[in-house]
Structure formats: structure tokens, C-alpha cells
Amino acid sequence: MRWSSALVLGLVQLCLASPHAKRWGDMVEKHSWTQIPTGWEYHSAPSPEQLLELRLGLKPHKMDELISTLYEVSDPAHERYGKHLSKEEADAFIAPHPKAVESVEDWLQHHGIDPSEVTHRSDAGDWVTVRVSVAQAEKMLGTKYGVYHHAKSSDYVVRTLRYSLPRDLHSHVDIVTPTTYFGTFRSMKATSFIQPEITPLELDVDTESLKVGEALSPDAVPPTSCNTVITPACLRTLYNTANYTPKATAQNSIGLAGYLEEFGNRADLQTFYNRFLPNAAGSSYTTVRVNNGQDDQSDPGVEANLDIQYAFSVAFPTPGVYYSTAGRPPFVADSQTPTNTNEPYLDWVNFVLSQSTIPQTISTSYGDDEQTVPADYRTSVCNQLAVLGARGTTVLFSSGDFGVGGGDCLTNDGTRRKLFQPAFPASCPFVTTVGGTIRTNPEVAVSFSGGGFSRAFPRPAFQDAAVSAYLNAIGNTNSGLFNASGRAYPDLAAQGQGFQVVIGGRVSSVGGTSASSPTVAAIVALLNDARLAAGKPTLGWLNPLIYKDLLPGFNDITSGSNPGCGTNGFTARAGWDPVSCIILDQPTLVAECFDCF
Ligand SMILES: *[C@@H]1O[C@H](CO)[C@@H](O)[C@H](O)[C@H]1NC(C)=O
């Protein structure tokens, strides 16, 4: 195919080395950091023979068209609403331009890389992986790699502070990994934490009122215990899903993306079901291992168990899928084993996009500070999440657990200004970002709820009315600390504290927007079920729908705030706000309303 003809072409070109040396010798910087990313330190020079899996992300040929298609299929008022793309249709949009492929092949040939050494090509052809030595990569990227150490997590990675590409490749190549994305992977906010201050429910107290077996009366109110401890019964009552019986379980499913060697424990899930949702006892879920992800049953993860126990119980009996994506294996400085490139989102999103069937709703409870993710990397990941939306999947991310920003909130661009620190991928407009709440009557924004304004992605038009109204209302509050024209988040919110989770056989209270995102995902999965059962397409990318005026079924959270960066943060108000926004309160009502579209 293309590679073999390129081989012949390449051999011919070897004889004409000098014009090529000129073409490929004109290097222009692609990305650089002004300082070593926070938390990392230079450790040593890697062995020149150390192997790297160098991954080249080729620019999708028709990304703009894919984005306009995404808007059309996600806008209830558009005639193409719900007409999501098949894998083949999406691949056609994201395939690189033939010229891009040709140029990259040429360049690889110039560096003596035989096409047979391409170890992987994505189906759409937008990703090319080659195995090269550090010395070779340094030549190709005009850079010097280092081994960097992250003290807090004891991680070692091979990265660089800057890299370049030939001028001619800039218009064809989006990113090269591993280069400047350090992604403090282990210390990345797995947005949940154990809450010792909230006494977990004892195993022997009478929790009949907290079990859901029978349908609840439509006006049932959550038990008062839901003010402090959350169980599936609380969520099913509070968000009015208890009376809905899923019907499309043969087609519908809900997915959870897990990283950081977080493994869900099946025995814990049974204990949880026996305790809190007896009619689900005996049911399980599918684990899909991505890039050698593991499923170690002797090491239950707090985040994984939280996600699994809540997403799968609230959506029960909707089939559940847990993706275990390998994180960062121990760094082995040996010249035989290539280092894992440790690009977890890319590994995961490339994997799901290669599948013809994808769960219709997927929740992820991980994130980085936006400023720590290189711009090219952010754009590439965010675009791929857009493809997932175009395929008809609702992609939810938790908004983060540090209000408007954790730590000193200083910028890392050399100027060390104090600015609110948005989270990524929460700040990507193509995901639906979920903030946290507490209490029940009324529900109030929880103080750690991540929220604010992206400094990287502009505000999409569908947010204009809602966000401008909020900005007008707050006047000069926090001015200068955030970019008012950035994509604003969260989009939705749900309970985020005191979740009763079984971990290693014992019940713990767990909180974080990590709890909120799987909760909303479960509700969206039920909405998708209602739509599929009615012969309608799934909801897909939710955001344009959420911001439509007067969409019934939402409950506006109007109090609470999210302090951070030494400020009081933002304050919740009537209408959209960057703390809690609105929650999906009555999905059965919303499901009925889908007849309107
Ligand atoms: C604010 O955000 C907009 C839209 O993303 C961007 O064009 C602009 O450069 C940003 N301004 C600053 C000061 O970061």
C-alpha cells in the first residue's frame, strides 16, 4: 500500500539527499517550556540507545468539517440532530491529507527509518508510531532528552523541555510524543478523597430505607440521611430515576475510563449491591484493558470502586464497561524495552475510536491543570473527544476538586502571575463537565467544586447568553484572575460528598467531583435508554442541548461558592454559574420532553 510505494520512493530520494537535507534541516520550534514543569526535576541523561515509541499525530484533514458536523448532529433544532457518524465516516474526517502522509514518510526515510519499522498506524491513518533510539529522536526533533523525576510520585520519565520539527512538517503534524507533556500522572487529581470526618454507615444499622427495590412514589423525598451520606437510593430519589425501568439494555451501555492502576474490585461491588441495591446483586461489568491495563483484584482502587459502584448502580441494569488504561510503568533504563510513552488520554481515546461500537455514555474522573498540558497536546486530545461526540457518545469529565485553583495558582510561563487555574480536559468544550453539590433541600454547591474559565479554549457560542448573564451579574469580582472569553464550566453538577463506597470489604465515605461525574453519567445513560427504547438516536454531545433556553428537567443550584487561589472564588446564582451550574433533576421528565425534539 502506501508504505511500500513510499519505500521505493524513499530509496530514490536517498540518491537526491542534498535538496532533502535542506528541506528537512530547516527546523522550527514546535513547543517549549520556559521552566521544568512544577514537581519535576532533571535527573540524568538517558542512554542514547534507550528506545522510545515515537508517536506522530498527523493533522486530521477535515477537522473543521468534523466539528461543524458535530454541531449539527448535536443541535436539537437541526435536521441532522442525532445523525451520528459511524466509525468509517468519522475515520474519513480525521484521516490526514495524502500530502501530510507523503511528507512524513519522506522525512522518516530521510532519517533512515524504513517503513517496515512503523509499529502502528491508527485505522484513520492519523497516528503513526515508530520505534527509535533516544539519539535518533534527538536528531529528528532537534532536541535533547532527559530523564526527569517526580519526587512526589517517584516517577521517572524520558521527556524534553522543547522540540522542533522541519518547517515543512508544521502544517502536517499536530503533535509528537513523548516530548513536552509531563502530565503529573500519579499526582494528577484523581478527583476523589476519603472523608474521615463523615462517619460511614455501619454494616448493621437498619438501612431498609436506603435500599431501592420497589419503585418509589413519584414524590418520594430523599431520606434525611442523604444530607450527609449518599447511597444509590439517595441519588435515585433525589434525581427522580427510581421509577424508570431501563428497556434498551441490549443496545445501551455506560463506560468508565480508569487510569493510574486503579482497579475495580468485583467482590466489593457485590458487597455494595447486597448492602445498597440488593436487586443488582450477582450482576457485574466488563473490564476492557487498554495498552496492557491490568485488573488486579488484590488491589481495590478508591476511584475505580467509587466510579463503578455509583455509575453502575444508578444506571442498573444498563451494562457497564470499565476501561483499565495502563498508566506509567516503572522506568526501566534498558536499551531493549522501549519506554511507555505514558500518554494515557491518547492511548485511551485512540483505542475507543478504533472500536465500531462505543458505550453511549462515558465518564472520566481525572484531570490535569490546563497550563501543564502543552497547547498542541490539549488541542489534539480535545479534538479526539469531539470525534467521540460525533460518534454519538456523551463524554463527561469531573470538574476538579480545588475550586478555582489549588496551590499558589502561579502561571508557569515565566511571569509567575497569580491566575485561576482551570482543569483539563474539563476545559475542553466538547466534553460535558460536572461539578459537585451537597445537601438535599435545597442542594447547594460544594466548596471544592472545580469551575471557571478556560485560558486555552474560547467560549462556544451556545454558552454566550448563559455566561454573559453571569458575568454581568458579578461585575468586577475576580477580574484579572480569569479569562472571561474562555470556555466556561462546569456544565452540570450533582452530589459530590459522603458517597458510601465499599473498599476492601469496608464502607468508606468518599467525596469529590469524581463522585459527581459517574452520577450524571448514570442519569444520562438512563436518558439514552429512554431514547433508544423509543427508536431515537442517543444524546451524544450534550452541551448545545444543555444551554438551550427553558430545557425542562433541570434544577438550578443557586447558593454556594468555590474558593481557591486565596480568593472566595465564584458564587452560585440563579441561572448558569461557574460553581455548580444546574443539575439534571428530573430525568423522567426530560425523557418525556425529548418528544419535543
Ligand atoms: C482569552 O481567551 C481568548 C479565547 O480563548 C484568547 O483568544 C485570548 O488570547 C485569551 N487572553 C488571555 C490574556 O489569555
Side-chain angles (χ1 to χ4, degrees), residues 454-459 483 485-486:
S454 173
R455 288 195 275 125
F457 299 99
R459 180 169 75 215
N483 186 335
S485 49

Side-chain angles (χ1 to χ4, degrees), residues 30-59:
K30 188 80 171 69
H31 180 251
S32 65
W33 292 119
T34 53
Q35 59 189 61
I36 298 177
T38 312
W40 293 89
E41 62 200 8
Y42 180 82
H43 177 264
S44 55
S47 150
E49 286 93 47
Q50 169 82 41
L51 289 178
L52 296 175
E53 295 261 354
L54 206 61
R55 198 180 298 184
L56 308 165
L58 276 48
K59 203 175 279 300

Side-chain angles (χ1 to χ4, degrees), residues 453 459 463-479 482 484-485 488 570-571 573-578:
F453 298 77
R459 180 169 75 215
Q463 283 196 317
D464 283 347
V467 175
S468 306
Y470 182 82
L471 290 170
N472 286 338
I474 65 166
N476 286 329
T477 313
N478 297 325
S479 80
F482 68 100
S485 49
F570 294 109
T571 304
R573 305 178 58 91
W576 181 88
D577 58 69

Side-chain angles (χ1 to χ4, degrees), residues 360-378:
Q360 293 86 345
T361 314
I362 299 180
S363 171
T364 308
S365 293
Y366 299 80
D368 276 317
D369 275 353
E370 188 184 62
Q371 71 170 3
T372 66
V373 183
D376 49 5
Y377 192 92
R378 277 191 309 246

Side-chain angles (χ1 to χ4, degrees), residues 37 68 79 102 129 204 275 285 340 430 435 476 552 576 583 589:
S68 12
E79 59 182 15
E102 201 180 293
T129 308
D204 53 359
R275 183 87 200 290
Y285 61 95
N340 185 303
F430 303 121
N476 286 329
W576 181 88
I583 62 157
L589 219 177

Side-chain angles (χ1 to χ4, degrees), residues 56-60 94-96 121-128 350 384:
L56 308 165
L58 276 48
K59 203 175 279 300
I94 58 178
R121 266 194 112 176
S122 61
D123 291 353
D126 54 338
W127 289 91
V128 169
N350 277 328
Q384 300 212 58

Side-chain angles (χ1 to χ4, degrees), residues 224-297:
T224 50
S225 60
C226 301
N227 267 315
T228 47
V229 291
I230 295 293
T231 63
C234 293
L235 300 174
R236 289 162 63 108
T237 318
L238 185 60
Y239 300 138
N240 210 7
T241 68
N243 291 314
Y244 182 75
T245 308
K247 297 181 270 296
T249 51
Q251 299 156 269
N252 196 30
S253 66
I254 175 169
L256 298 168
Y259 302 99
L260 300 178
E261 280 75 49
E262 276 277 348
F263 311 119
N265 188 278
R266 288 158 202 279
D268 282 345
L269 180 62
Q270 294 312 315
T271 309
F272 178 84
Y273 279 157
N274 283 321
R275 183 87 200 290
F276 298 116
L277 194 68
N279 57 333
S283 72
S284 193
Y285 61 95
T286 310
T287 298
V288 175
R289 299 157 175 233
V290 181
N291 193 18
N292 299 319
Q294 302 299 303
D295 187 19
D296 182 352
Q297 290 300 298

